[in-house]
Amino acid sequence: MRCPFCSHQETQVVETREGDEGDVVRRRRRCLSCDKRFTTYERAEIALPAVVKKDGTRAEFEPAKLRASMLLALRKRPVSIEQIDAALARIEEKLLASGAREMPSTKLGELVMRELKRIDKVAYVRFASVYRSFEDVDEFRQLIRDI
Ligand SMILES: [Zn+2]
């Protein structure tokens, strides 16, 4: 955190307070160079890991995209939007809890499949069949047997 007066990089936190809304932290700082004081408002950054695709390229995690693919798998299935959003929230929680800065797309797919398996078996098979792009029929049969 740079001092706004002299741009010195070292500052000392003299006081820390939770903001009114709880998600903002207010910090009173003192510049170690010019001794002036200033206040910063810091918001916890929600850092979801980047998704590493099979070809090695990285993409930002896009909740909207994930939601769309889940909705597609759940088309015409008796599953409410609330259930889908709850599943998405659980996936995001797991991503955040992992603390990882990047994660393979295959792992993200596994997380989605686990959630779909819980809420709707048909959607699970739909998603898995597209996602895993089965190499042979036996593999698909095995999956059907598993559920
Ligand atoms: Zn300063």
Side-chain angles (χ1 to χ4, degrees), residues 1 16 26 28 34-35 37 45 84 92 95 99 101 112 127-128 136 142 147:
M1 182 62 63
T16 300
R26 178 180 164 275
R28 194 78 187 135
C34 70
D35 206 39
R37 295 179 183 224
E45 211 174 288
I84 299 167
E92 281 186 37
L95 292 179
R101 301 193 56 189
V112 175
F127 186 88
D136 57 47
Q142 183 61 47
I147 59 176

Side-chain angles (χ1 to χ4, degrees), residues 19 33 49 55 75 94 97 117 147:
S33 172
D55 62 5
R75 201 164 57 182
K94 276 177 194 151
K117 202 171 181 176
I147 59 176

Side-chain angles (χ1 to χ4, degrees), residues 3-8 31-36 38:
C3 167
F5 304 101
C6 72
S7 295
H8 187 70
C31 174
L32 294 180
S33 172
C34 70
D35 206 39
K36 285 203 171 95
F38 59 98

